[in-house]
Amino acid sequence: MADASTLQCPSCGGPLPIEHRFVRMVTCPYCATVSEITDAGLDPTGKAAKLAPLPTRFRVGQSGRLRGRPFRVLGRVRYSYDEGVWDEWYLAFEDGDAAWLEEDEGEYTLSRRERLTTAAPSFEQARVGSQFSLNGYPFFVTERVRAQIAGSEGQLFYKATPGRQVQFVEGNIGGRIAYLEYGEDAIEFGVGEPLARNEVELEG
């Protein structure tokens, strides 16, 4: 994968090969210490919450092909909310690209972050059924979710501390699935598309 480097776990000293330039958080596979990647190195934030096993085809470190494109699973975040949980898998492609694969009750959505070029409404303003302009397109709100991070593993491209509260606004923009993620420090914007199971080939 692109721009790989190796750091040492600040807790146990174990080697941590950082497998993609977008990675910002890593869980040590030896001692489960979660660390944030900073300019000065690794800053430990605590221990990873152990994830309860759920039926899935994926695992961290697994390789495969998505619509013919080789990828590797670098990490996973689990979110919990009133109606249950869902997992998001961080995929790094051989060509240097990266994406999230959301897995919710056996259904897949492939998403990518995009840059916000216009101001987004607050979570309270984005009501279900409302519409607003975002990046020059109408964004129609279909769902609002208050969730928290239940745990994570592997390598991620943003800080996913267990217990952290997150708010999501989901909808449709320009005929595509879209979402806004309201975190502690910023609002993230992403677009996605449904993915059929047979479009993902896994090795091992």
Side-chain angles (χ1 to χ4, degrees):
M1 294 301 165
D3 299 333
S5 62
T6 299
L7 300 175
Q8 285 188 316
C9 175
S11 181
C12 72
L16 299 175
I18 306 303
E19 300 190 54
H20 199 279
R21 66 185 184 277
F22 292 154
V23 170
R24 295 292 177 267
M25 189 171 181
V26 59
T27 300
C28 178
Y30 308 104
C31 69
T33 293
V34 177
S35 297
E36 185 177 2
I37 299 176
T38 68
D39 292 339
L42 292 177
D43 180 18
T45 63
K47 296 288 186 178
K50 188 174 182 181
L51 298 177
L54 293 176
T56 181
R57 300 169 61 200
F58 301 93
R59 57 179 168 78
V60 172
Q62 192 171 34
S63 297
R65 289 179 176 270
L66 195 157
R67 296 173 178 165
R69 297 176 63 199
F71 71 86
R72 182 175 171 83
V73 180
L74 294 193
R76 168 171 60 160
V77 178
R78 177 168 295 167
Y79 293 93
S80 63
Y81 67 123
D82 289 344
E83 297 181 19
V85 300
W86 79 89
D87 285 340
E88 292 187 1
W89 300 90
Y90 180 28
L91 310 183
F93 292 91
E94 200 171 77
D95 59 8
D97 193 12
W100 285 104
L101 190 150
E102 178 184 319
E103 183 179 24
D104 189 0
E105 296 183 349
E107 295 188 356
Y108 302 153
T109 303
L110 184 68
S111 301
R112 289 179 175 81
R113 298 278 172 97
E114 291 197 0
R115 187 169 65 92
L116 271 175
T117 59
T118 59
S122 68
F123 180 76
E124 289 72 22
Q125 292 173 322
R127 300 181 180 279
V128 173
S130 67
Q131 182 173 291
F132 51 87
S133 179
L134 194 71
N135 282 14
Y137 294 93
F139 186 118
F140 181 77
V141 179
T142 58
E143 187 176 12
R144 296 197 320 164
V145 177
R146 298 178 187 270
Q148 70 173 10
I149 295 174
S152 64
E153 61 176 329
Q155 302 182 17
L156 308 169
F157 66 66
Y158 75 100
K159 190 174 179 179
T161 307
R164 180 181 140 210
Q165 303 295 314
V166 187
Q167 298 170 325
F168 292 93
V169 169
E170 299 181 1
N172 182 284
I173 186 168
R176 298 180 296 173
I177 298 169
Y179 68 88
L180 289 166
E181 179 181 335
Y182 295 78
E184 296 172 351
D185 306 317
I187 301 174
E188 300 287 350
F189 170 55
V191 295
E193 58 182 317
L195 196 65
R197 289 176 63 89
N198 61 9
E199 293 182 286
V200 184
E201 303 173 41
L202 297 172
E203 298 176 5

